[in-house]
Amino acid sequence: MEIKYLVKSPPRVGTILGMIAIICSQSILVLRSWDRIGVYYASVTVILLCLVVLLLALYRTFFKKPTELCLSNDKIILNGVLFTSGDIKVIMTKGYFKPVIGILPHRRKIVPLDMAFRYSRDEDRGIPDLKSWAKMNNVKMVNKSFQTWI
């Protein structure tokens, strides 16, 4: 048995808005403290780091193409990476409309970036299929908020 779905990266709207807010506040600080070299360079460094995070979040949200989620007997293939049911600590879902799914491997506290996704379409069939896969393979599946990097 093999079931395939198109999945994409979850939207990073909170990250995008947060980075824009930090960049704006640090830009004001740069303009006001150009005569204090230490504050100036620290603020410019923060702005550059936030720009990198902002660009990554924009890319993942708007430009990254959908990939494939493949559920088979005791393994999941996500973004071309194979995970057996023994590798997975818990599968978490957050949200009700267009839910985001995160797969947390053993020995991890935060869901890796490539293991968080949402269905491109057919989530009304995809989530029950994922729940039945989890039940068949004794993997815990919970409705819980979770964090990812960026």
Side-chain angles (χ1 to χ4, degrees):
M1 168 185 104
E2 194 170 275
I3 304 167
K4 294 182 180 185
Y5 289 100
L6 281 180
V7 296
K8 58 186 175 181
S9 292
R12 308 270 181 212
V13 177
T15 302
I16 292 168
L17 293 175
M19 291 301 110
I20 290 171
I22 293 170
I23 289 169
C24 289
S25 67
Q26 290 297 310
S27 297
I28 292 168
L29 195 57
V30 163
L31 293 174
R32 289 187 176 184
S33 66
W34 61 270
D35 57 339
R36 290 181 293 200
I37 298 299
V39 174
Y40 176 82
Y41 284 118
S43 294
V44 168
T45 303
V46 170
I47 289 171
L48 291 175
L49 289 173
C50 289
L51 275 173
V52 169
V53 172
L54 177 65
L55 291 174
L56 285 172
L58 285 169
Y59 170 74
R60 292 189 69 81
T61 299
F62 297 111
F63 301 110
K64 190 171 183 222
K65 295 194 182 328
T67 59
E68 192 173 71
L69 169 72
C70 180
L71 303 171
S72 62
N73 292 334
D74 69 336
K75 59 187 177 255
I76 290 179
I77 302 172
L78 177 63
N79 297 320
V81 180
L82 176 82
F83 302 98
T84 63
S85 57
D87 297 334
I88 300 170
K89 182 177 182 180
V90 65
I91 299 174
M92 297 177 276
T93 60
K94 70 175 174 181
Y96 186 72
F97 297 105
K98 298 201 181 225
V100 176
I101 292 108
I103 300 174
L104 183 66
H106 288 288
R107 296 179 300 282
R108 292 284 183 102
K109 301 269 186 226
I110 296 176
V111 174
L113 197 57
D114 289 335
M115 296 179 78
F117 63 92
R118 68 183 177 125
Y119 290 97
S120 292
R121 56 182 181 272
D122 299 331
E123 71 249 5
D124 53 328
R125 287 187 310 154
I127 291 177
D129 285 345
L130 187 60
K131 282 182 181 177
S132 65
W133 180 91
K135 188 173 184 177
M136 281 181 1
N137 291 288
N138 296 321
V139 175
K140 191 163 85 168
M141 190 163 175
V142 296
N143 291 324
K144 182 181 177 187
S145 187
F146 58 89
Q147 294 294 317
T148 61
W149 292 103
I150 304 179

